[in-house]
Amino acid sequence: MSKQVETKKLSQNDKLLTGIYKTVLDNSITVIVSKDKLGNEFLEVANCVKDFQTPLFEKVSPEKLKEQINSRLIKKV
């Protein structure tokens, strides 16, 4: 008997959070939907730090992202 593992999918409202944002420090960040090997969906923030061209990716929860938007720390462009 194989064990069925349920994958986590983001809601449509969470997926609407994807896009390009500006921070209060005028840096650009991009929010994307990513999937792991099991098919679980999650949001990631990608930003380039100063002179580095390679973006740094960091997982972010939809709740944390909404909190930053509501606090006006980031704004969608």
Side-chain angles (χ1 to χ4, degrees):
M1 221 157 128
S2 67
K3 191 174 185 179
Q4 190 92 6
V5 177
E6 190 173 318
T7 58
K8 294 180 183 176
K9 302 286 184 189
L10 292 171
S11 71
Q12 283 304 109
N13 284 338
D14 292 345
K15 289 181 181 181
L16 290 175
L17 294 170
T18 60
I20 299 172
Y21 292 82
K22 283 281 191 185
T23 67
V24 292
L25 301 174
D26 205 33
N27 295 328
S28 290
I29 61 172
T30 304
V31 177
I32 61 171
V33 174
S34 293
K35 283 186 181 181
D36 63 14
K37 293 178 184 178
L38 300 174
N40 297 312
E41 295 178 340
F42 55 92
L43 293 175
E44 278 190 306
V45 174
N47 59 16
C48 289
V49 180
K50 297 280 181 187
D51 299 330
F52 299 105
Q53 297 298 318
T54 304
L56 301 173
F57 289 91
E58 178 183 351
K59 280 186 183 180
V60 65
S61 70
E63 295 78 21
K64 176 98 173 167
L65 199 57
K66 289 174 189 173
E67 183 181 295
Q68 290 179 355
I69 293 167
N70 292 336
S71 300
R72 297 187 178 169
L73 295 175
I74 60 174
K75 181 181 178 181
K76 199 167 191 175
V77 289

